[in-house]
Amino acid sequence: MLDPLSTAEEARQNLGLTLDPARRRTFGQFFTPAATARLMASLSTLSPQRVRLLDAGAGVGSLTAAWIAEICARPVHPKEVVLTAYELDETLIPALRKTLMACEHACVTVGIRCTWRIQATDFIEAAVNDLDGGLFQTEHSVFDIALLNPPYRKFRAESRTRQLLRRLGIETSNLYTAFLALGVLLLEDGGELITITPRSFCNGSYFRPFRQHLLRHTNLTRLHVFESRTQAFRDDEVLQENVILRAVKGVPQQPLTCISQSRTPEEPISIQRNVPFACVVHPGDSQAFIHLVPDDEGQVLAETMEMLPCTLGELGLYVSTGRVVDFRARQWLCAEPTPGAVPLIYPTHFDHGLVRWPKTGTKKPNAIVHSTDSAPLMVPAGVYVLVRRFSAKEEHRRIVAAVFDPATVPCEVVGFENHLNYFHESGTPLDRTLAWGLSAFLNSSALDTYFRQFNGHTQVNATDLRSLRYPKRDTLLALGCRVQGELPTQGDLDRLVAKVCKVR
């Protein structure tokens, strides 16, 4: 029997060597390796007599091929399958057609009737027009399974794509969540959504409308994560953390969700557990963050962190994003301190938990002119806790905090660049001891590990920091008394936080 997945895999590997990388970035293309496609197909549990499958952003057809190979190998399979593949890149159509022909041949061999079609058009525009066809539309396309590795690319608020999606009340700024949102709407009640995407949709205010859309329409049944973030799309050298998701449309959310983990797509699942859905999406969480906790140890940590007594608001503290967007403030930036300029702080000024300024040899400016026009970008001099908004992909830590102290950086006002978040008290500086205690807590391994349960990308948003729970002010002050002036080594810091804050 002709193996459709082998046909797709051969095309994927050949095209991966020949396609223009710039063109692939334009389309947001990341082809699905065979092992990843096979794992996703194995999650399908549908067994009706006739199955209508949607593969949007099909590429060379790897996901469809994997699903066909999976159902052909099962002892009980449907009598008929109808395959619909959307692919906008015309250079992929010949390979996609060859894969679908192999799918048809494989089905015929085991007695399944197979029909297929390729839609060489923009999936978003076609789906929106199908779902919102106007007053006289009587029906639209429906599918039993949406099997997706959607493209990954941001689009602007004023783009035609954004305008199309708003016709259906879909608010998102990335192609991958747009494809998933539309895929859900195109499913029949009881239909499956199986997809691999970046984990970035699990948190952050930008993705909140999408999370609410997904949770409103589906029962989230399965989440699979990988220990290695380099393996799911290793041929494309993707370092993004990915998650495989299975959801069922039109079914009330069940009490348990299965969370599983494997090191790579090829290796067997090492951890699999049924988790109360209330631990995945916390009841009453207005942000609807999705927490991925694959093991018991992580669950214990999550429960400990969520039992901390205070929200940021209850501490009387706030977190904001740095006001200086450097490319918009070029006329005021100075490479080195000059008369009339004040410190401009970037992540590059972090040094073992403290901000040290100025920094020689950096490509970033060290100062910003203080004038009537630039004054709104400044904050009053004082003690603040700063957190990097972005960590490098190769860094082990997600949350990296440092104390800004005018005793070390003398100034009357200061500029914090937009790649930083800063903690303050209603726009005024923090108590120095409190700041050091807060910084120690934020730099602890326990908090970083917990944070990664719902944050799967390299960005730390102010919304994420507001969503955390914190020790009481007295506890942070006690911790600050122990570390003020310089953070200890990571091991000593973790032991101190565990002892003072009762967090392990």
Side-chain angles (χ1 to χ4, degrees):
M1 181 178 72
L2 182 64
D3 179 7
L5 188 52
S6 296
T7 302
E9 183 66 3
E10 181 181 358
R12 183 187 72 86
Q13 293 181 356
N14 291 337
L15 286 167
L17 297 173
T18 59
L19 288 180
D20 178 13
R23 181 180 176 84
R24 292 184 64 184
R25 285 194 295 273
T26 298
F27 284 98
Q29 292 171 337
F30 297 96
F31 296 140
T32 316
T36 303
R38 197 176 292 114
L39 174 58
M40 293 173 63
S42 72
L43 301 183
S44 176
T45 62
L46 281 182
S47 56
Q49 293 296 299
R50 182 173 183 262
V51 180
R52 298 157 295 180
L53 180 139
L54 169 67
D55 186 351
V60 298
S62 297
L63 286 176
T64 297
W67 184 78
I68 290 294
E70 172 73 21
I71 65 165
C72 285
R74 291 178 179 176
V76 178
H77 42 66
K79 291 182 178 180
E80 180 183 3
V81 295
V82 180
L83 311 176
T84 301
Y86 279 83
E87 180 48 58
L88 184 59
D89 186 352
E90 68 274 8
T91 64
L92 304 180
I93 300 300
L96 176 58
R97 183 177 292 111
K98 186 176 180 180
T99 297
L100 294 176
M101 290 173 64
C103 289
E104 182 180 358
H105 181 80
C107 287
V108 169
T109 303
V110 297
I112 301 174
R113 181 171 179 265
C114 175
T115 57
W116 54 268
R117 61 175 178 160
I118 295 173
Q119 300 283 67
T121 188
D122 184 304
F123 169 67
I124 291 177
E125 184 161 2
V128 170
N129 289 334
D130 193 10
L131 290 162
D132 184 33
L135 182 64
F136 300 105
Q137 182 179 15
T138 57
E139 60 181 21
H140 63 79
S141 302
V142 290
F143 299 91
D144 303 295
I145 176 170
L147 192 58
L148 307 177
N149 171 17
Y152 179 90
R153 182 169 57 80
K154 294 179 180 179
F155 49 82
R156 296 181 179 275
E158 65 273 14
S159 67
R160 173 169 169 75
T161 299
R162 194 69 172 262
Q163 293 169 4
L164 283 167
L165 293 167
R166 282 175 173 158
R167 283 169 52 186
L168 299 177
I170 296 173
E171 289 292 340
T172 189
S173 57
N174 201 299
L175 286 178
Y176 87 87
T177 44
F179 271 54
L180 266 62
L182 291 170
V184 167
L185 295 181
L186 289 168
L187 284 173
E188 190 82 86
D189 281 350
E192 292 179 318
L193 171 71
I194 301 175
T195 180
I196 184 166
T197 71
R199 276 187 58 188
S200 52
F201 77 89
C202 292
N203 70 298
S205 56
Y206 289 126
F207 291 107
R208 179 175 62 177
F210 167 72
R211 289 192 298 273
Q212 293 171 333
H213 174 90
L214 179 69
L215 297 170
R216 181 168 59 249
H217 288 287
T218 70
N219 165 30
L220 197 57
T221 66
R222 181 73 173 266
L223 294 160
H224 182 86
V225 295
F226 300 101
E227 291 180 50
S228 172
R229 64 181 175 183
T230 63
Q231 293 297 311
F233 296 98
R234 62 174 174 270
D235 291 352
D236 290 323
E237 298 182 350
V238 174
L239 291 178
Q240 178 73 261
E241 291 186 34
N242 295 284
V243 59
I244 294 175
L245 174 150
R246 179 185 182 272
V248 180
K249 183 182 178 181
V251 177
Q253 179 60 54
Q254 300 301 297
L256 298 176
T257 297
C258 180
I259 297 181
S260 56
Q261 178 177 285
S262 61
R263 199 183 76 83
T264 68
E266 294 91 344
E267 297 181 38
I269 292 173
S270 56
I271 298 173
Q272 183 168 319
R273 57 198 293 266
N274 290 320
V275 178
F277 184 71
C279 296
V280 178
V281 179
H282 298 164
D285 178 9
S286 62
Q287 293 292 326
F289 283 4
I290 296 175
H291 299 248
L292 300 177
V293 189
D295 55 32
D296 292 335
E297 184 177 345
Q299 187 61 47
V300 171
L301 174 62
E303 291 170 359
T304 300
M305 300 304 293
E306 289 154 15
M307 288 294 290
L308 288 171
C310 295
T311 64
L312 204 57
E314 288 167 347
L315 288 169
L317 302 181
Y318 299 83
V319 61
S320 302
T321 302
R323 302 175 185 176
V324 181
V325 180
D326 54 9
F327 68 86
R328 295 175 182 163
R330 288 193 183 100
Q331 68 270 37
W332 299 310
L333 304 185
C334 307
E336 301 298 336
T338 58
V342 299
L344 175 59
I345 307 303
Y346 280 83
T348 191
H349 293 106
F350 283 26
D351 184 12
H352 295 93
L354 187 65
V355 170
R356 300 191 189 278
W357 179 93
K359 183 174 182 178
T360 59
T362 179
K363 295 180 180 179
K364 300 296 185 182
N366 275 291
I368 182 170
V369 172
H370 186 207
S371 66
T372 302
D373 291 334
S374 66
L377 304 180
M378 314 298 177
V379 299
V383 180
Y384 299 92
V385 175
L386 310 182
V387 173
R388 291 181 185 174
R389 284 186 60 210
F390 299 91
S391 58
K393 290 181 179 179
E394 65 274 8
E395 278 191 293
H396 295 298
R397 294 192 57 77
R398 191 65 45 82
I399 297 182
V400 180
V403 174
F404 176 85
D405 192 335
T408 305
V409 185
C411 58
E412 294 183 1
V413 295
V414 60
F416 296 137
E417 198 270 334
N418 191 247
H419 284 71
L420 295 171
N421 296 306
Y422 66 100
F423 287 82
H424 54 91
E425 294 199 54
S426 298
T428 63
L430 304 175
D431 172 85
R432 181 176 280 104
T433 305
L434 178 68
W436 277 101
L438 177 60
S439 178
F441 173 73
L442 291 168
N443 279 303
S444 67
S445 296
L447 180 66
D448 198 71
T449 300
Y450 170 69
F451 188 76
R452 289 170 182 269
Q453 292 178 358
F454 62 87
N455 181 293
H457 53 101
T458 58
Q459 186 167 346
V460 178
N461 298 303
T463 302
D464 300 331
L465 296 171
R466 294 186 197 109
S467 75
L468 299 171
R469 297 194 68 82
Y470 294 82
K472 291 181 179 178
R473 179 177 282 256
D474 287 349
T475 304
L476 291 173
L477 288 168
L479 184 59
C481 288
R482 305 284 293 273
V483 301
Q484 191 168 160
E486 183 178 359
L487 292 180
T489 64
Q490 190 66 55
D492 288 342
L493 174 65
D494 291 341
R495 284 186 285 273
L496 185 59
V497 170
K499 180 179 180 180
V500 176
C501 302
K502 306 294 189 294
V503 171
R504 297 184 179 277

